[in-house]
Amino acid sequence: MTRRSCAIYATGIVCAHLLILGIALLVAQVFQTMIQERIKKEITLAENSRVLEGWINPPPPVYMQYFFFNVTNSDEFLAGKEKPKVTQIGPYTYREYRPRENVTFLENGTKIFATNPKSFVFLRNMSSGDPAVDRVITVNIPFIAVMNELNSYSFFLRSAVSMWMGSMGIEVFMNRTVHEVLWGFKDPLLSKLHAMRPEVDEHFGLMYNKNGTHEGEFVFHTGEKNYMDYGKIDTWNGISQMNWWSSNQSNMINGTDGSVFHTFLSRKELLYIFAADLCRSIHLAYVADKEVKGIPAFRFAPPSDVLAPPDENPSNAGFCVPAGDCLGKGVLKVSVCRQGAPIVVSFPHFYQADKRYINAIDGMNPNEEEHETYLDINPTTGVPIRALKTSHKTTKEFHLFSQMRMLLLIVTVMSNFPVIIVGLGVILLVVLIFLVCRNRQRKNEVKRIDFTEAFHSFATTKDETAYTQVSNQAEDSPENRTNQPLRNGSYIAMSPVEAQKC
């Protein structure tokens, strides 16, 4: 066997093995299953894991951006001449730090206890102004809260209280600095009430007492038992179900806190998040495939039915408190979990809300690009890599992770290893076909050369054996017949034989 034949046979054998192995691995999905099981095992809140460290001390920065609506025609509105007109001011940006504390494993590592205190630092270079200087005319929430508490009393008592507050300069609108509205100030009305009822705090602010404090005590599932439960909330402040809404379904604490999700997300599933500031769980649905700094992601966002009225989404009937007392589409009354304060939340500019709310105020310009809440989540790891959480006064945004690219590259290569094997097999098959064809071509060339040489040899032999000239001597010469050897081309003499008589 020649060296060329050995190379062809060796290429064929290797090619066949690669194709058989690669196709078998593809059909069996051995590597895909192995990688998935490995990732499911690694990405859990196990003790001493890197995932746990990243969960306790999240590395990426989180920014809170606050926007406010400044009422520009308060006098005309109070006089009943015009509907309110507002202009948006902001953002006022704060860096949010959110390490988890008091981390304790429970039930053999299947659950984990933690608190999540948050602190905020103002970032002047990312803000449009100075919150300590900029002033905003907005609704006087303490005033509205007191008047709301008096709804059950007589008209005369409410009028007397209103006049009393007016004599102190307390009105429906207040003019305060952005810092005061956010982080708190000593309110004159609450101070009067505090003197009569010490349990009433005399300070008010949208984020009052929230700098350096946490939203409650959480117990999470670590994912050790089931990777689908990774990061899900088991209890909040010791309860597994709330009690202020009017149905069991609405009182359920579903999903995670929004910081993590299970691995290998599907486009078809709904993701649930418990939002403590909304006092409820909400769901997010798949919107589109995205890419964040080279990392693939699924975008999930709350669909319009999240804040839809019961006639559009019957499951929301439980958020009407008292039962049957429902607001329109796109708004949620959260007074039940805010010490009775008359607070209604919505997406910015009443995005996805009923048109009557949008048309009631001049200055509302809802649009998806600026006002949609969404999460961009890497589907393999379940880690949010970009998020925008918007509500009536806040915007939250954070970005993740540069090291994730290497992890995803390794996962992609390992998951596609059978495809790589098949690809190598196909390449070798092409090489094999080329070698076989080349070998046949060489054999045909050799045959043509041999035929040409044989033909040339035959022609030469034919020339050498040509007939010679016949001798001039008499054919019947005895000497010629007996002594002269026969030659090619010579005539053979034949002697007549006499017929024998019977």
Side-chain angles (χ1 to χ4, degrees):
M1 184 180 293
T2 64
R3 185 178 301 175
R4 185 180 298 107
S5 298
C6 290
I8 293 175
Y9 281 117
T11 303
I13 293 172
V14 174
C15 172
H17 279 79
L18 288 176
L19 289 175
I20 294 172
L21 177 61
I23 294 172
L25 291 175
L26 278 175
V27 173
Q29 293 188 334
V30 174
F31 275 83
Q32 291 90 332
T33 303
M34 182 179 68
I35 292 295
Q36 289 181 10
E37 293 301 322
R38 184 65 178 176
I39 291 177
K40 291 174 186 177
K41 184 178 179 180
E42 288 293 329
I43 302 184
T44 59
L45 297 177
E47 295 185 61
N48 302 320
S49 71
R50 290 173 297 185
V51 176
L52 175 63
E53 178 59 31
W55 183 75
I56 294 175
N57 296 296
V62 178
Y63 301 104
M64 290 288 291
Q65 294 186 312
Y66 297 92
F67 297 82
F68 294 87
F69 289 124
N70 184 55
V71 181
T72 60
N73 66 335
S74 58
D75 293 336
E76 291 79 2
F77 169 72
L78 292 175
K81 298 179 180 179
E82 298 176 353
K83 62 181 179 180
K85 296 180 180 179
V86 298
T87 57
Q88 179 175 286
I89 61 173
Y92 299 93
T93 306
Y94 294 78
R95 169 73 185 273
E96 179 182 326
Y97 296 88
R98 44 167 57 192
R100 300 183 192 269
E101 296 181 351
N102 306 311
V103 176
T104 307
F105 282 93
L106 307 171
E107 300 183 21
N108 295 322
T110 60
K111 297 178 182 179
I112 187 171
F113 171 89
T115 57
N116 192 199
K118 299 177 182 179
S119 57
F120 303 87
V121 177
F122 178 66
L123 301 177
R124 183 66 183 86
N125 63 322
M126 295 180 64
S127 303
S128 63
D130 187 346
V133 175
D134 296 351
R135 304 188 73 86
V136 58
I137 299 174
T138 187
V139 174
N140 189 341
I141 295 179
F143 175 92
I144 301 297
V146 171
M147 296 303 295
N148 186 65
E149 286 294 319
L150 294 174
N151 276 340
S152 58
Y153 293 88
S154 67
F155 170 78
F156 297 102
L157 179 60
R158 285 186 282 117
S159 298
V161 172
S162 180
M163 292 175 62
W164 171 68
M165 289 189 292
S167 66
M168 295 187 297
I170 301 171
E171 298 178 345
V172 177
F173 295 100
M174 61 181 180
N175 188 333
R176 294 282 179 176
T177 66
V178 169
H179 182 84
E180 287 175 326
V181 176
L182 266 179
W183 306 109
F185 61 95
K186 190 174 181 179
D187 182 75
L189 176 58
L190 295 179
S191 296
K192 295 291 184 181
L193 295 175
H194 177 74
M196 296 181 287
R197 298 175 59 183
E199 68 272 16
V200 176
D201 197 321
E202 56 186 335
H203 293 85
F204 169 79
L206 295 173
M207 296 291 290
Y208 176 65
N209 274 343
K210 290 188 177 182
N211 197 350
T213 61
H214 57 75
E215 295 178 330
E217 298 177 342
F218 289 85
V219 174
F220 301 91
H221 291 277
T222 63
E224 282 291 302
K225 284 185 177 180
N226 184 353
Y227 82 99
M228 293 289 288
D229 292 333
Y230 169 59
K232 286 185 177 180
I233 298 170
D234 182 57
T235 62
W236 173 61
N237 288 333
I239 60 174
S240 57
Q241 186 166 316
M242 298 169 287
N243 57 11
W244 42 64
W245 302 112
S246 59
S247 73
N248 290 332
Q249 181 179 0
S250 298
N251 280 318
M252 294 176 64
I253 299 175
N254 293 323
T256 74
D257 63 355
S259 62
V260 292
F261 297 91
H262 68 80
T263 55
F264 299 102
L265 295 175
S266 167
R267 295 179 179 87
K268 298 180 180 179
E269 66 181 303
L270 295 178
L271 302 182
Y272 285 86
I273 297 175
F274 175 69
D277 55 345
L278 297 180
C279 310
R280 61 164 289 187
S281 294
I282 63 172
H283 62 272
L284 289 78
Y286 169 81
V287 176
D289 283 22
K290 296 291 181 178
E291 187 174 285
V292 183
K293 297 182 179 180
I295 299 174
F298 291 168
R299 173 162 293 182
F300 285 83
S304 59
D305 64 353
V306 168
L307 297 180
D311 58 345
E312 295 185 22
N313 184 4
S315 62
N316 281 345
F319 296 113
C320 301
V321 179
D325 183 12
C326 305
L327 298 178
K329 181 178 181 180
V331 296
L332 176 69
K333 183 167 61 178
V334 295
S335 306
V336 292
C337 63
R338 298 291 183 91
Q339 291 81 43
I343 298 178
V344 174
V345 298
S346 72
F347 295 120
H349 289 253
F350 292 113
Y351 173 68
Q352 292 185 340
D354 194 304
K355 291 291 184 182
R356 59 183 166 135
Y357 298 121
I358 300 172
N359 297 331
I361 304 173
D362 279 345
M364 297 292 101
N365 299 293
N367 64 83
E368 179 179 331
E369 183 178 353
E370 295 182 76
H371 305 135
E372 182 184 42
T373 292
Y374 63 80
L375 279 175
D376 290 342
I377 309 170
N378 176 254
T380 302
T381 62
V383 175
I385 53 179
R386 181 171 59 192
L388 187 67
K389 178 185 176 184
T390 61
S391 63
H392 62 304
K393 287 189 180 296
T394 65
T395 301
K396 182 183 293 186
E397 188 175 10
F398 59 88
H399 299 269
L400 294 175
F401 284 122
S402 57
Q403 55 266 45
M404 188 182 293
R405 293 194 191 92
M406 182 57 67
L407 170 63
L408 294 177
L409 177 61
I410 295 173
V411 170
T412 302
V413 172
M414 293 301 295
S415 298
N416 292 310
F417 189 67
V419 178
I420 296 174
I421 293 178
V422 172
L424 291 175
V426 171
I427 292 174
L428 285 180
L429 179 62
V430 174
V431 173
L432 176 64
I433 294 173
F434 173 78
L435 291 176
V436 170
C437 293
R438 183 64 177 168
N439 188 56
R440 288 183 178 180
Q441 183 180 3
R442 287 179 178 273
K443 286 183 177 180
N444 290 335
E445 289 176 353
V446 170
K447 287 181 180 179
R448 284 197 296 270
I449 293 173
D450 291 344
F451 176 79
T452 302
E453 291 177 351
F455 179 80
H456 179 71
S457 175
F458 172 76
T460 304
T461 304
K462 183 178 179 181
D463 291 341
E464 291 178 351
T465 57
Y467 289 107
T468 57
Q469 186 177 358
V470 180
S471 173
N472 291 327
Q473 294 180 0
E475 293 181 1
D476 54 353
S477 173
E479 292 86 358
N480 292 336
R481 287 196 304 265
T482 56
N483 298 326
Q484 187 176 352
L486 296 176
R487 296 181 181 177
N488 289 336
S490 300
Y491 289 102
I492 300 174
M494 299 181 65
S495 300
V497 178
E498 292 182 357
Q500 294 181 1
K501 294 180 181 180
C502 296

